[in-house]
Amino acid sequence: MSTSSPIDRQARRAPHVAIIMDGNGRWAARRGLPRTEGHTEGEENLARVVRAAVTRDIGWLTVFGFSTENWVRPRAEVRHILGLHEKLFSRIAELNENNVRIRWIGRPFDSPEARTPKYVQRAIRRALHETESNTGMVLTVAFDYGGRAELMAAVRGTRRAGSAITAAAIDQHLYLPDLPPVDLMIRTSGEHRVSNFLLWQSAGAKIHFTDTPWPDFDATELDAALALLA
Ligand code: FPP
């Protein structure tokens, strides 16, 4: 296919980078630590990568924090990851210092299948509100997110609106209709799968796989991935 397809043409703006942050558990196991320590380090690393991303030409950074499939993990691990999301969405001063607007993508809180607990909802709402006037990079955190669930919701929304099922109509009924197409998808820790992340939005994305586990993914790794867009 030529590089001037409509999807590619839309991409001529500060790029949208999406990251599947895999490998926290293996990072911890290699050090003889509990998996939860790997997730804690993963959250710290996300804060570092956000700082690196704002100094590069990245307009949109979307990260997979917790999927619709992740709820089956052991309860203690799920609780720990929920706490880390509360922590991440509470980094408001840091986001404001970096002019970063934080957003969330996932199953709407009022939908019957949604599972986001109230305390995480509160942290999300507050962070969205308190960073909404920032004009720099947009950081979108996917929580209780699945690409197939999003697509089904978009088709239902399109039908409810009485519109024909066209690509433009589905675009308008995605969870975040203004989220631009993904230019670069990164997955850490050696797995070569897309795992139900941003299925619609990443139709034209380049994909960078690295063996590095997420807690060790640094600015040098980010630059290596961004080289794919050069
Ligand atoms: C993958 O590691 C990571 C997750 C399923 C959760 C993502 C969570 C973080 C990166 C930490 C917190 C981040 C936020 C956004 C608050 P894994 O457990 O699948 O690792 P493994 O494949 O080595 O077992």
Side-chain angles (χ1 to χ4, degrees):
M1 192 192 286
S2 107
T3 51
S4 61
S5 68
I7 287 169
D8 287 338
R9 261 182 271 121
Q10 287 171 35
R12 296 210 186 102
R13 54 181 154 63
H16 181 183
V17 177
I19 311 184
I20 301 174
M21 307 176 291
D22 197 13
N24 297 337
R26 279 163 284 171
W27 179 92
R30 264 178 231 137
R31 287 163 177 75
L33 298 169
R35 294 175 58 77
T36 47
E37 288 295 314
H39 295 313
T40 299
E41 189 55 34
E43 194 275 338
E44 296 281 343
N45 194 47
L46 176 56
R48 290 192 288 271
V49 169
V50 167
R51 286 193 293 271
V54 296
T55 66
R56 287 156 174 82
D57 182 31
I58 295 177
W60 305 75
L61 179 66
T62 304
V63 295
F64 210 170
F66 198 76
S67 74
T68 49
E69 287 77 33
N70 285 154
W71 293 104
V72 299
R73 290 188 177 214
R75 267 170 70 159
E77 184 179 347
V78 169
R79 209 173 313 123
H80 186 81
I81 295 176
L82 295 188
L84 288 174
H85 279 79
E86 189 186 23
K87 180 177 174 195
L88 173 69
F89 280 98
S90 301
R91 290 180 182 263
I92 292 169
E94 197 175 326
L95 293 164
N96 285 338
E97 269 163 34
N98 288 289
N99 195 22
V100 173
R101 180 175 173 207
I102 195 166
R103 299 173 89 194
W104 157 77
I105 188 167
R107 289 190 288 205
F109 300 149
D110 60 357
S111 70
E113 323 79 42
R115 296 193 54 179
T116 306
K118 286 276 186 310
Y119 72 97
V120 179
Q121 291 186 22
R122 271 195 297 276
I124 291 175
R125 283 204 182 91
R126 179 164 165 254
L128 265 51
H129 178 65
E130 294 193 11
T131 67
E132 72 188 354
S133 49
N134 290 339
T135 54
M137 190 178 80
V138 178
L139 169 66
T140 305
V141 180
F143 180 89
D144 192 27
Y145 174 84
R148 289 168 66 118
E150 180 182 31
L151 276 177
M152 288 187 288
V155 171
R156 283 195 296 266
T158 304
R159 277 225 192 98
R160 253 198 318 272
S163 309
I165 309 288
T166 61
I170 289 177
D171 270 340
Q172 281 166 25
H173 291 91
L174 294 171
Y175 293 150
L176 295 178
D178 61 341
L179 195 68
V182 174
D183 302 296
L184 173 65
M185 171 87 75
I186 299 171
R187 182 171 188 141
T188 59
S189 209
E191 299 282 346
H192 296 184
R193 289 182 284 123
V194 172
S195 295
N196 201 18
F197 192 37
L198 301 176
L199 296 178
W200 182 267
Q201 298 87 340
S202 61
K206 296 193 172 171
I207 308 188
H208 176 86
F209 295 112
T210 171
D211 289 338
T212 303
W214 173 250
D216 291 336
F217 184 92
D218 60 12
T220 308
E221 289 262 356
L222 181 61
D223 287 336
L226 288 170
L228 267 186
L229 297 179

